[in-house]
Amino acid sequence: MTPPGRRRAEAARLLREAERRTTPIEPLSTTLPGLGLADAYAVQQDNISHRLATGATVIGHKVGLTSAAMQRLLGVHEPDFGHLLDDMLHRDGGTVRAARYCAPRVEPEICFRLARPLRGPGVTTRDVLAATEAVAPALEIVDSRIRDWRITLVDTVADNASSAGLICGSWTPMEYAPELAAVTSDLYVNGDHVASGSGKEVLGHPAAAVAWLANTLAAFDTGLDAGHVILPGALTTAPLVGAGQKAEARFSALGSVSVSFV
């Protein structure tokens, strides 16, 4: 069997090439048997370090697999996480090129912006709410560099938790924010309603996902910094989108956010 270090390096290289060429690859879990979850996070970090070396900056993190339905789909019992970089951020109401992605989907989420750092272990939902400066309606663009989205947990973790883009709407300071578990979202594609959901779909409360993230990052000897933005997980399903389509999410008490694909 290929040594673990060489498997990780090959997995990272394959994912970088898939993203650069926008040509998906076969599942790493199939082509590189023996790749475990720790390996997958190491692959993710290797590719994030590669992007930082070329000028990108970490602006936060995303949490995935926070809904019971998605956990059942992949046969897992806890979320995963990825990194958000400044070159992944797009303007609300703006346009992005669909051709830069392999198979993009959109997810409506409640984005958190931190006023002060959070370091685990022991971070609670209450700690998260106290440390949050503001929240905003958001769309995450998720994309899989794995062909046909045939992913296992190892595949998506290695692939930066399938994260590819972020669009934030207007920020609401926490002192004016609604009860986040009760916030609802309706997702539209080209004006057609495609999905609905609420904050309670995200581990019961979106701040619980941020707490999970802070506590999980402690095992990696890192944490969440002041000013970082956090996507805690999707309120609805994630439909595929492509050129000529506009995605819009309308949130109760938080407003709306949209992006068009060209």
Side-chain angles (χ1 to χ4, degrees):
M1 181 178 287
T2 306
R6 289 178 61 183
R7 283 201 305 273
R8 291 177 179 179
E10 177 64 4
R13 185 191 68 80
L14 288 170
L15 287 170
R16 285 197 303 271
E17 282 297 296
E19 184 172 20
R20 185 177 69 85
R21 298 174 180 271
T22 58
T23 303
I25 58 175
E26 291 300 311
L28 298 171
S29 53
T30 299
T31 59
L32 294 171
L35 200 70
L37 186 58
D39 298 309
Y41 275 116
V43 169
Q44 179 187 137
Q45 185 58 58
D46 185 57
N47 279 340
I48 292 298
S49 296
H50 185 272
R51 290 177 67 175
L52 297 182
T54 59
T57 301
V58 174
I59 60 170
H61 289 77
K62 64 81 54 89
V63 185
L65 301 176
T66 52
S67 73
M70 286 304 298
Q71 289 186 9
R72 286 194 299 270
L73 181 65
L74 292 189
V76 300
H77 304 289
E78 66 173 42
D80 66 352
F81 71 84
H83 292 72
L84 299 173
L85 306 179
D86 60 343
D87 59 6
M88 297 165 63
L89 187 62
H90 303 285
R91 182 177 59 84
D92 180 21
T95 60
V96 297
R97 291 188 306 107
R100 69 183 290 177
Y101 307 109
C102 292
R105 298 174 181 266
V106 291
E107 297 179 344
E109 307 196 24
I110 299 171
C111 189
F112 288 65
R113 187 173 69 205
L114 298 182
R116 59 178 185 266
L118 284 171
R119 295 286 191 276
V123 173
T124 66
T125 296
R126 181 174 294 181
D127 295 331
V128 171
L129 294 173
T132 300
E133 176 185 19
V135 291
L139 285 169
E140 182 183 9
I141 302 172
V142 291
D143 189 28
S144 184
R145 275 60 68 164
I146 305 300
R147 183 167 289 117
D148 300 323
W149 281 89
R150 291 185 286 115
I151 55 174
T152 66
L153 180 60
V154 164
D155 295 301
T156 187
V157 166
D159 193 20
N160 196 31
S162 303
S163 192
L166 164 64
I167 304 96
C168 282
S170 298
W171 292 95
T172 297
M174 280 306 289
E175 58 263 38
Y176 303 112
E179 166 51 47
L180 299 180
V183 169
T184 60
S185 178
D186 290 292
L187 182 60
Y188 297 83
V189 175
N190 279 357
D192 295 327
H193 184 265
V194 296
S196 296
S198 71
K200 68 181 180 181
E201 304 297 329
V202 185
L203 296 185
H205 194 294
V210 181
W212 174 90
L213 175 63
N215 292 327
T216 300
L217 288 175
F220 295 84
D221 195 29
T222 188
L224 303 174
D225 295 337
H228 271 186
V229 295
I230 315 297
L231 291 174
L235 277 64
T236 74
T237 56
L240 286 162
V241 289
Q245 293 187 309
K246 176 183 178 180
E248 180 184 15
R250 302 172 189 170
F251 292 74
S252 63
L254 286 180
S256 63
V257 60
S258 68
V259 66
S260 297
F261 293 84
V262 298

